[in-house]
Amino acid sequence: MPKPKVAFYWCASCGGCEEAIVDLNEDILKVVELVDIVFWPCAMDFKYQDVRDMEDKEITVAFINGAIRTDEQEEMAKLLRKKSLLVVAFGACSHLGGIPGLANFWDRKTIFESSYGKGCPSVDNPDFVVPQTVTEVPEGELELPAFHNTVKSLDQVIDVDYYLPGCSPAPYLTMQAIEAILSGELPEKGTVLAPEKTLCDVCDRNETKPEKMSISQIKRISEVIADPEKCFLAEGIICLGPITRAGCTEEGSGRCITANMPCRGCYGPPTEVKDVGGKMISALASILGLENEENMSDEDVEKLMNQVVDPAGYFYRFSLPTSLLRRKRMNNPAKEDK
């Protein structure tokens, strides 16, 4: 009986999700025994034509990491969807848009100006030459994939069956997902393959959180030495644990908390939370300056709120493309602009 066929592909991301496959350690040998890896261009010499030559639905499951930023990524995502029985959005960028999705606060023109124009003092480019999709050279015509105005999550481009969250997904969750797919014991389509509880629910520091919390000052983790036993929020350090799905470690408080860093929200929200930023701002507003609220002037409130540096970037760090905002409003975009 032929082995199930598995594909891995990398779109707009840092490459950490590719490392997450390697982080399976000796378990990757079990995977190789059970499946045929038929496409993994980051690790093996596969060509796009190898996928084009396959029959439709020939691949059992494709794990696609990264957001969709270019024509090439969109084309490959659609091709792998066509050739695969199942598609798993693998990692925070594929699931929610991730860090690349923060580019939605700008557009292609402003990003190119920042990287190739006067906004980038380290580049000597007086003619403001920017990447072109087609360039004539003596050998012929060179073509680059078009750079989109808007970063999208994978499910904004193709139909997705399951989501493995995280930056990057925990190896134990990846192995559980592979075993579930191979056994055919799959949950409902669209399920996020991680616990429904929030990180705050399982955090060892939860017991130190006061029953009635009020903070009078917001501190950045880079400016203080956090108490390794105490709830970050109780110390005035913004932690996204209350609105972030647990699961980054199989047991305990999670990877960042264990390293004495507040949760950044890479596992995304539990099902009942529709907008990460809005939910966290609401939670923060309920505890900020609560004790002395009746004596605060408008100036005091504004001063307190201004202590949150880069609120849009902080609260939507991993989820801007899938938030209610999605992107900064563009003035008169052309219909063909993506």
Side-chain angles (χ1 to χ4, degrees), residues 87 95 155 160-163 187-193 245 271:
V87 169
H95 175 207
D155 64 2
V160 169
D161 297 289
Y162 298 102
Y163 303 84
E188 182 183 356
K189 181 178 176 179
T191 298
V192 177
L193 303 174
R245 193 181 287 268
T271 304

Side-chain angles (χ1 to χ4, degrees), residues 250-268:
E250 194 165 6
E251 296 178 349
S253 301
R255 289 184 286 199
C256 290
I257 304 295
T258 303
N260 206 22
M261 292 290 289
C263 173
R264 303 176 304 152
C266 72
Y267 268 62

Side-chain angles (χ1 to χ4, degrees), residues 33-324:
E33 283 182 8
L34 297 172
V35 305
D36 278 337
I37 298 175
V38 295
F39 188 61
W40 191 8
C42 177
M44 304 177 193
D45 184 19
F46 293 107
K47 309 300 182 191
Y48 290 173
Q49 192 60 44
D50 297 334
V51 182
R52 295 188 184 103
D53 291 341
M54 293 179 189
E55 300 291 332
D56 289 356
K57 308 300 181 187
E58 183 175 333
I59 300 171
T60 306
V61 56
F63 292 86
I64 303 178
N65 77 77
I68 304 300
R69 159 98 279 180
T70 68
D71 274 354
E72 180 184 29
Q73 293 156 0
E74 183 172 348
E75 177 187 348
M76 284 307 299
K78 289 179 176 176
L79 179 63
L80 285 167
R81 173 70 277 183
K82 183 179 178 184
K83 303 294 183 181
S84 304
L85 286 169
L86 296 172
V87 169
V88 176
F90 190 71
C93 298
S94 183
H95 175 207
L96 302 168
I99 298 288
L102 288 173
N104 286 358
F105 284 125
W106 294 271
D107 56 19
R108 177 174 49 235
K109 182 172 183 290
T110 52
I111 290 171
F112 278 9
E113 284 176 351
S114 172
S115 298
Y116 301 101
K118 293 179 182 177
C120 186
S122 61
V123 172
D124 182 12
N125 186 19
D127 297 327
F128 185 37
V129 177
V130 298
Q132 303 296 310
T133 53
V134 178
T135 303
E136 297 287 347
V137 295
E139 293 79 10
E141 194 174 79
L142 294 179
E143 188 173 344
L144 285 175
F147 186 91
H148 295 179
N149 267 312
T150 301
V151 176
K152 295 180 180 176
S153 62
L154 185 63
D155 64 2
Q156 290 171 339
V157 175
I158 62 170
D159 186 38
V160 169
D161 297 289
Y162 298 102
Y163 303 84
L164 258 173
C167 180
S168 55
Y172 85 95
L173 285 179
T174 303
M175 199 61 204
Q176 285 179 2
I178 291 172
E179 289 171 348
I181 290 166
L182 294 179
S183 68
E185 297 176 357
L186 289 163
E188 182 183 356
K189 181 178 176 179
T191 298
V192 177
L193 303 174
E196 266 297 322
K197 289 183 177 179
T198 67
L199 184 64
C200 206
D201 289 334
V202 302
C203 181
D204 293 338
R205 304 187 189 200
N206 199 317
E207 293 179 357
T208 68
K209 189 165 65 175
E211 186 174 341
K212 184 178 180 182
M213 191 184 299
S214 175
I215 57 176
S216 58
Q217 183 183 2
I218 294 174
K219 304 165 190 170
R220 305 183 78 182
I221 187 65
S222 59
E223 298 171 339
V224 297
I225 297 176
D227 185 327
E229 306 292 334
K230 196 173 178 182
C231 169
F232 283 106
L233 280 172
E235 295 183 81
I237 300 165
I238 298 175
C239 175
L240 270 60
I243 49 88
T244 299
R245 193 181 287 268
C248 53
T249 53
E250 194 165 6
E251 296 178 349
S253 301
R255 289 184 286 199
C256 290
I257 304 295
T258 303
N260 206 22
M261 292 290 289
C263 173
R264 303 176 304 152
C266 72
Y267 268 62
T271 304
E272 71 273 12
V273 175
K274 302 304 178 189
D275 187 281
V276 171
K279 188 70 175 179
M280 192 61 208
I281 291 168
S282 173
L284 200 58
S286 69
I287 60 173
L288 202 55
L290 193 62
E291 280 187 351
N292 195 32
E293 189 178 24
E294 64 278 7
N295 298 321
M296 293 179 73
S297 66
D298 290 347
E299 289 75 18
D300 291 334
V301 173
E302 184 175 355
K303 189 177 178 181
L304 197 55
M305 294 304 295
N306 285 341
Q307 292 176 6
V308 183
V309 178
D310 185 22
Y314 201 100
F315 298 127
Y316 290 102
R317 188 195 303 258
F318 292 98
S319 65
L320 181 60
T322 50
S323 70
L324 297 177

Side-chain angles (χ1 to χ4, degrees), residues 23-42:
D23 284 345
L24 290 173
N25 298 325
E26 63 270 20
D27 279 347
I28 199 167
L29 299 176
K30 299 177 187 173
V31 174
V32 172
E33 283 182 8
L34 297 172
V35 305
D36 278 337
I37 298 175
V38 295
F39 188 61
W40 191 8
C42 177

